[in-house]
Amino acid sequence: MYVGVWASNTEFNSGSVNGASMEMDFYFGFAGEFANGVGWDVGVLQFFYPGDDIETAAEADATEVYVSFGYDFGAFSAALTNYTVVSNDAWAFSDMDGENYTHLGVDVPVGDALTLSVGVGHQTFGDSTYDYTDWKLNAEYAINDTYAVGAFYTDTDMSETDWTIGSTFLGDDVGGAYLSASF
């Protein structure tokens, strides 16, 4: 069993939330391994976007359940995960209950401390106009058993016409760096 929290700055100014400068995700789940070495993981993920909710709009906050199966092949490991929205509203879209995000991730350890990762995912919406695929490249270096640093680059095939709010295209490629701690 595990529990966790993740947070990051964001600019969520949409038709549902004004001034949300933070995303906070809370999650809990159970994970294990079958006798044949296939790992499994099931859990719940709650997204919160603190800010001023607009009463007449779809909520930005969202709830998902997920199930994942993975296997360590020695030279690399792979995991296939499906997230299903169980809240009616999610990320300022209504009627999202039952929509899915499916992700395939591959991790390649390079030595004892460095891991290179690649992932590709696909998000569905009730209106397939908004469906998109994303991908991410990541490199993470474990400083010790608690701390790690990493860098990533991600992009999508989002339609600029459908995913532009004001003058901001939400599907732009982005790179970043991070520091993580696990206890």
Side-chain angles (χ1 to χ4, degrees):
M1 185 177 99
Y2 60 88
V3 297
V5 63
W6 179 91
S8 181
N9 63 317
T10 187
E11 291 183 30
F12 204 127
N13 291 310
S14 71
S16 65
V17 176
N18 285 323
S21 60
M22 176 181 276
E23 175 182 330
M24 295 173 46
D25 302 344
F26 298 90
Y27 56 91
F28 73 93
F30 299 90
E33 188 173 285
F34 296 115
N36 62 1
V38 173
W40 58 269
D41 187 355
V42 295
V44 176
L45 178 57
Q46 176 65 53
F47 299 85
F48 287 108
Y49 298 92
D52 295 327
D53 287 342
I54 297 172
E55 295 297 324
T56 59
E59 287 285 326
D61 299 343
T63 306
E64 292 180 322
V65 295
Y66 56 89
V67 61
S68 180
F69 296 98
Y71 191 77
D72 187 341
F73 293 91
F76 69 95
S77 61
L80 181 63
T81 307
N82 188 72
Y83 301 84
T84 301
V85 177
V86 295
S87 54
N88 186 52
D89 296 342
W91 307 289
F93 286 88
S94 58
D95 300 322
M96 286 294 289
D97 188 17
E99 296 301 330
N100 293 288
Y101 178 74
T102 304
H103 182 265
L104 174 64
V106 176
D107 295 333
V108 180
V110 180
D112 292 333
L114 180 63
T115 302
L116 303 178
S117 303
V118 62
V120 64
H122 184 74
Q123 174 70 54
T124 63
F125 289 85
D127 177 355
S128 62
T129 302
Y130 296 104
D131 291 1
Y132 66 86
T133 300
D134 62 64
W135 59 271
K136 181 178 180 181
L137 300 173
N138 194 81
E140 183 172 286
Y141 181 80
I143 298 169
N144 54 37
D145 290 340
T146 303
Y147 296 101
V149 295
F152 66 89
Y153 177 77
T154 186
D155 201 359
T156 73
D157 70 351
M158 289 175 160
S159 159
E160 224 173 312
T161 303
D162 296 320
W163 285 98
T164 298
I165 297 177
S167 62
T168 303
F169 174 47
L170 301 179
D172 260 346
D173 62 330
V174 66
Y178 61 91
L179 170 67
S180 67
S182 299
F183 306 97

